[in-house]
Amino acid sequence: MRESDVVIVGGGHNGLVCAFYLARAGLSVTILERRGVVGGAAVTEEFAPGFRNSVASYTVSLLAPKVIADMALAEHGLRILPRRVQNFLPLNDRDYLKTGEGITKSEVAKFSARDADKLDAFTDRLTVLADLVRETLLKSPPNLTQGGWLAALGEMIRAIPFARLVGGLDIGAKRDLLALFGQSAGDWLDGWFESDAIKAAFGFDAIVGNYAGPYSPGSAYVLLHHAIGEVNGKKGTWGHAIGGMGAITQAMATACAKLGVEMRTNAGVREILVEKGRAVGAVTDTGEIVRGRAVISNLNPKLLFQSLIDPALLPVDFRERIARYRNASGTFRMNVALSELPRFSCLPEAGDHLTAGIVMAPSLGYMERAYADAREYGWSKAPIVEMLIPSFVDDSLAPPGKHVASLFCQHVAPELPDGKSWDAHRDEVADLMLDTVERFAPGFKASVIARTAISSASSVSWAATSRMES
């Protein structure tokens, strides 16, 4: 039996950040991580000989600057390069839209002078709300309470700073805030713009990582959420972590180790130990008990409460709500090793657009159909694919002259209809994703040396093409 002040179950980036702050406050902390490396979704691995890439997460913006500074991540080796173009949308064989500092307005004007004229006002209003949301992220929200007003008094006091933040907005911004939390991104964008291209650029931010269509209620907030990030002090920008996303969590692990955090890998947890209504430790897969004055979870809530805690210890209402909790992924994630850079029909030569998030989804209607297909058939017939090519700015990820690309693909159903298995269809869907890129960048499929594919079922398929490269 081992004992710490705090036991953290799961060593993903959130668990590492939590461990750092607790250890800095003087507490002893033990992290229990199932895999052989900490980092969770932010890990860099070799997926084909000589080719490395981020396994799940694939780009950085939403990592809080305060966390970067407090953990001294730059001193521990983290470097983030901002995208020179933020997003690149190939629309067809001729037309494209690029977004980024100093170029968005002129790019939008190619499609609509009216939209270009409205862009500054739209961006200003979105920025005001993004600043508000950013301000709340490092504050503890009030909790729900039972009982009368005395029981709720402490939480009411905690809510005062939030009320002040919202109270500081003008009436237009307050109305925008209410609209963005309940409205669809499609309705919001249709009210501002007329051209498909600019609506697709903003609309993608409303559905990326979100199993929903751009006209799904609440998707407008997802658009806002993706506007709150920053890279190297520049708000609203995205970047590449040199060495892949695993460079972030390895720097975090170094910061934790310097404070004495014990990070135990290959230490899966099979049960949360509960005594007298309190979590007091964790039981590992090998039967070892690790006790703590507090237990913190860095796990999927359904996994935690449905698999690691005795259901009899949880209130019936809570168990029912967890059973209905929607948190499965609608994303299909691929890494591909490439013999050469892709050449897009609309912009074939290499350039700054290859540092961007390359979004293959030319309109809100295209995105809405992709979501409808996934709900009906299990995956989109014409999927949404965002591709990043980190090796274009980071030559540590691939052999000389070769490249790696991340494909973040949507939509796929978390569970396939009619009892179908993802194991039986993963390669078929992977082929469809490559075909989608091929439509915009002819010759792409022939350049693929190897690929990995991770579906909602979290299994991994690896394949190498028969084409050999010297």
Side-chain angles (χ1 to χ4, degrees), residues 58-74:
Y58 62 107
T59 188
V60 59
S61 175
L62 301 177
L63 179 59
K66 176 175 173 54
V67 171
I68 294 174
D70 287 351
M71 298 186 78
L73 298 185

Side-chain angles (χ1 to χ4, degrees), residues 382-396:
I384 301 160
V385 177
E386 182 188 23
M387 178 166 69
L388 271 74
I389 311 170
S391 56
F392 189 69
V393 296
D394 180 3
D395 60 11
S396 72

Side-chain angles (χ1 to χ4, degrees), residues 91 96-97 103-120 189 192-199:
L91 303 173
Y96 61 85
L97 174 72
I103 64 171
T104 305
K105 184 177 288 190
S106 62
E107 286 282 313
V108 171
K110 297 188 306 186
F111 302 93
S112 167
R114 174 182 175 273
D115 286 353
D117 288 341
K118 298 187 76 170
L119 189 62
D120 286 342
L189 293 169
W192 276 93
F193 302 116
E194 62 183 9
S195 64
D196 283 341
I198 188 60
K199 288 191 282 187

Side-chain angles (χ1 to χ4, degrees), residues 45 148 237:
E45 293 181 353
T237 59

Side-chain angles (χ1 to χ4, degrees), residues 47 53-58 331-338 383-388 390 404-410 412 426-437 444-445 448 450-455 459-463:
F47 67 96
N53 204 9
S54 309
V55 174
S57 61
Y58 62 107
T331 298
F332 193 90
R333 178 71 172 85
M334 295 183 67
N335 279 327
V336 291
L338 302 174
I384 301 160
V385 177
E386 182 188 23
M387 178 166 69
L388 271 74
V404 295
S406 306
L407 273 61
F408 196 79
C409 312
Q410 295 174 244
V412 299
R426 190 174 298 108
D427 287 338
E428 176 185 355
V429 175
D431 288 339
L432 173 63
M433 301 307 176
L434 298 185
D435 288 338
T436 300
V437 180
F444 176 77
K445 287 181 67 177
V448 175
R451 74 189 194 192
T452 61
I454 308 175
S455 70
S459 297
V460 179
S461 171
W462 182 90

